[in-house]
Amino acid sequence: FQYLKRFDQGCNLDMFCYEEHSVEGSPAECLQQFLLHCGVTDPSWAELRNFTWFLNVQLRDCEASVFCNPDFVHDTLQGF
């Protein structure tokens, strides 16, 4: 949710890193973001769950990768 919210606001996501147990927004805002970004018209709960699970895994891997660390790559992959 936090990544999608910042993406919609046009924030630079290269420097953002999720902090475990941090809470932003309401459950309604979270659901609205997932509905906007999941890519399925009128998704089922299972489709929303699969979308959020996949997005979470990808973002966790990205944050853990040295190749996506802005301190390591500097400005060579700006916007990647």
Side-chain angles (χ1 to χ4, degrees):
F1 166 73
Q2 294 176 12
Y3 272 95
L4 294 174
K5 180 179 173 182
R6 283 168 175 76
F7 176 78
D8 282 348
Q9 293 171 343
C11 297
N12 181 356
L13 298 176
D14 293 341
M15 300 305 290
F16 177 72
C17 190
Y18 171 75
E19 293 181 31
E20 192 170 351
H21 303 296
S22 63
V23 177
E24 292 181 13
S26 68
E29 290 175 304
C30 183
L31 180 58
Q32 183 178 14
Q33 284 293 326
F34 292 153
L35 289 170
L36 288 171
H37 291 280
C38 77
V40 177
T41 304
D42 194 23
S44 67
W45 284 111
E47 289 168 322
L48 282 176
R49 187 238 176 244
N50 289 337
F51 167 72
T52 56
W53 176 81
F54 178 77
L55 183 62
N56 188 51
V57 169
Q58 295 300 308
L59 291 171
R60 188 178 328 136
D61 289 348
C62 179
E63 286 183 354
S65 172
V66 68
F67 298 106
C68 296
N69 183 333
D71 295 329
F72 177 73
V73 297
H74 303 289
D75 63 352
T76 59
L77 297 174
Q78 184 68 26
F80 178 70

